[in-house]
């Protein structure tokens, strides 16, 4: 049966038309996770072209012993056509209630219904207000693996709660942390480290201390500027050091901050300090690096870093204050958990 001609049908709790019900099940639930079953159950399943599944109660699926009222939700392999069945033909996203259909049974999501000007994108028939309740019911009975299963996520969720998990899944890929341009590359940390080095040509350093100098010949012309990102490798992790100029209200400022290439929970295991000064004056910032899960702009706009007013920056630069020459030093250290108090104490010697 073609995907674009799936017709949502109503059904009763009775067993009036077992053959038709089996055919619908066969078309809508292709290739669930395989489990061993009795030969009788396998033969019955083969007769209606349905693979045997097992529910949580241990009952065998369609055609097998134990199928009935006690059957639990079906667990469907992510490599099957179930995604196509629940995929909107317009935006290709998964459909969630209300799922709409035309008179010919073609389905689409509620968001796209308003975008197609009340015309079915498949057959061009006029759309009414018909809900595809059967497909909504099928989706409610499914449990699917997280879409990041290939990246290591072992979780399985009911269809309607899967989307929320995926938006927060620890295995979801990271966005490129490069701030000099809007880079759309995503991937895991090793991939992004290689991408930053090879494609963005960022400076790569090993060690937990740094000493950087930021120079600009005419700083008064700089309203929005981002210096080259620097990546540090220490404690087996990667950190990104950012430095840039922007307007904070009406005041031009410079800001330096550190981001951790990993999740927020792991970022809390580390601390860092930044220091800038000259002429007998000094400014120091200490904090926890932000995860690259938070965008560069989000961190900047939260002012979570060392912020230097332009006049102070030019004072630190010395000379006639016509050239920016800021030297920013800092270090990264790992916090150790105190087993007696549960508090974190700094580990300065690793």
């Amino acid at each position: 049966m073609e995907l674009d001609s799936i017709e949502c049908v109503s059904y009763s709790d009775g067993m009036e038309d077992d053959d038709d019900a089996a055919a619908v099940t066969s078309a809508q639930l292709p290739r669930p996770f395989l489990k061993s079953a009795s030969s009788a159950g396998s033969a019955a399943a083969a007769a209606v072209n349905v693979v045997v599944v097992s529910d949580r109660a241990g009952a065998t699926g369609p055609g097998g012993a134990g199928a009935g009222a006690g059957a639990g939700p079906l667990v469907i392999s992510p490599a099957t056509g179930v995604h196509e069945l629940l995929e909107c033909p317009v935006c290709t996203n998964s459909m969630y209630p209300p799922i709409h259909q035309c008179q010919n049974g073609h389905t689409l999501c509620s968001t796209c219904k308003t975008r197609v000007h009340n015309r079915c994108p498949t057959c061009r028939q006029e759309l009414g207000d018909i809900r595809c309740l059967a497909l909504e019911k099928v989706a409610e009975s499914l449990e699917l693996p997280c879409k990041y299963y290939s990246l290591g996520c072992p979780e399985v969720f009911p269809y309607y709660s899967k989307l929320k998990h995926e938006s927060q899944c620890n295995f979801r890929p990271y966005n490129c942390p490069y701030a000099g341009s809007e880079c759309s590359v995503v991937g895991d940390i090793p991939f992004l480290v290689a991408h930053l080095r090879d494609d963005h040509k960022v400076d790569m350093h090993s060690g937990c201390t740094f000493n950087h100098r930021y120079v600009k010949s005419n700083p008064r012309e700089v309203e929005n500027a981002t210096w080259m990102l620097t990546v540090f490798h220490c404690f087996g992790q990667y950190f990104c050091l950012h430095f840039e100029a922007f307007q904070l209200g009406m005041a031009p400022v410079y800001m330096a901050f550190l981001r951790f290439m990993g999740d927020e929970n792991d970022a809390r295991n580390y601390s860092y300090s930044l220091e800038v000064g000259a002429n007998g004056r000094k400014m120091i910032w200490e904090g926890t690096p932000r995860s690259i899960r938070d965008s560069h702009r989000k961190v900047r706009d939260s002012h979570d870093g060392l912020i230097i007013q332009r006049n102070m920056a030019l004072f630190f630069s010395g000379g006639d204050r016509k050239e920016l020459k800021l030297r920013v030093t800092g270090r990264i250290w790992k916090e150790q958990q105190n087993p007696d108090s549960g508090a974190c104490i700094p580990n300065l010697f690793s």
Side-chain angles (χ1 to χ4, degrees):
M1 181 179 292
E2 294 287 334
L3 175 63
D4 60 4
S5 63
I6 290 176
E7 182 174 358
C8 298
V9 296
S10 60
Y11 52 89
S12 65
D13 293 333
M15 301 297 291
E16 301 170 337
D17 198 345
D18 291 345
D19 292 338
D20 288 345
V24 171
T25 303
S26 174
Q28 295 181 339
L29 302 178
R31 299 191 180 278
F33 277 133
L34 298 179
K35 292 268 188 165
S36 59
S38 65
S39 58
S42 300
V48 293
N49 195 28
V50 178
V51 181
V52 175
V53 300
S54 293
D55 57 53
R56 288 183 172 178
T60 304
L74 299 176
V75 183
I76 306 298
S77 167
T80 69
V82 71
H83 288 295
E84 297 179 10
L85 181 67
L86 293 166
E87 183 181 273
C88 174
V90 178
C91 66
T92 70
N93 292 327
S94 297
M95 295 187 290
Y96 294 88
I99 298 175
H100 297 277
Q101 69 169 4
C102 72
Q103 292 183 350
N104 292 325
H106 304 130
T107 57
L108 77 164
C109 71
S110 57
T111 301
C112 291
K113 182 176 183 288
T114 61
R115 296 169 53 191
V116 298
H117 306 295
N118 207 38
R119 289 286 176 184
C120 173
T122 303
C123 66
R124 309 306 299 169
Q125 292 293 317
E126 184 175 354
L127 289 169
D129 292 317
I130 306 173
R131 286 272 297 273
C132 189
L133 299 179
L135 188 56
E136 292 179 11
K137 199 72 175 176
V138 168
E140 186 178 352
S141 70
L142 299 178
E143 287 195 342
L144 299 175
C146 170
K147 73 176 181 179
Y148 303 120
Y149 74 98
S150 62
L151 300 179
C153 182
E155 302 294 339
V156 176
F157 292 90
Y159 181 79
Y160 290 141
S161 61
K162 176 173 172 282
L163 195 64
K164 181 179 179 180
H165 160 79
E166 289 173 349
S167 68
Q168 305 169 347
C169 179
N170 289 336
F171 292 90
R172 71 189 189 278
Y174 296 88
N175 295 318
C176 173
Y178 191 75
S181 61
E182 296 297 327
C183 182
S184 60
V185 170
V186 298
D188 59 17
I189 299 303
F191 174 82
L192 288 181
V193 169
H195 165 68
L196 289 170
R197 181 191 64 234
D198 300 337
D199 298 329
H200 292 298
K201 311 299 181 184
V202 305
D203 293 331
M204 312 290 291
H205 297 274
S206 295
C208 299
T209 61
F210 45 89
N211 187 339
H212 279 259
R213 193 174 183 220
Y214 298 96
V215 178
K216 192 68 178 178
S217 59
N218 193 346
R220 295 191 182 277
E221 293 181 356
V222 178
E223 300 299 334
N224 289 284
T226 300
W227 275 256
M228 180 66 75
L229 180 71
T230 306
V231 175
F232 295 90
H233 182 237
C234 63
F235 301 107
Q237 306 289 341
Y238 290 92
F239 301 82
C240 299
L241 178 64
H242 297 263
F243 186 80
E244 60 185 86
F246 62 97
Q247 290 285 130
L248 183 56
M250 297 298 293
V253 299
Y254 298 94
M255 182 177 177
F257 57 92
L258 197 73
R259 287 202 292 167
F260 174 74
M261 296 188 70
D263 282 319
E264 182 181 357
N265 290 338
D266 294 326
R268 295 194 187 103
N269 295 325
Y270 302 91
S271 295
Y272 74 102
S273 66
L274 297 172
E275 180 178 315
V276 61
N279 301 323
R281 306 292 190 270
K282 182 186 296 185
M283 293 178 66
I284 299 176
W285 163 270
E286 286 192 4
T288 300
R290 295 281 287 271
S291 166
I292 60 171
R293 294 287 190 203
D294 291 333
S295 70
H296 156 265
R297 183 170 293 276
K298 180 178 180 180
V299 179
R300 192 194 78 173
D301 291 349
S302 68
H303 309 151
D304 192 0
L306 176 65
I307 296 179
I308 313 160
Q309 298 287 338
R310 176 178 290 173
N311 288 338
M312 182 62 73
L314 294 176
F315 174 78
F316 288 150
S317 299
D320 56 7
R321 301 190 181 188
K322 292 183 179 180
E323 186 176 30
L324 178 72
K325 294 180 179 178
L326 274 184
R327 186 175 297 279
V328 177
T329 62
R331 64 186 178 91
I332 306 167
W333 65 91
K334 186 175 183 178
E335 303 286 355
Q336 286 186 325
Q337 194 76 20
N338 188 329
D340 296 326
S341 64
C344 288
I345 57 176
N347 175 15
L348 304 179
F349 306 103
S350 297

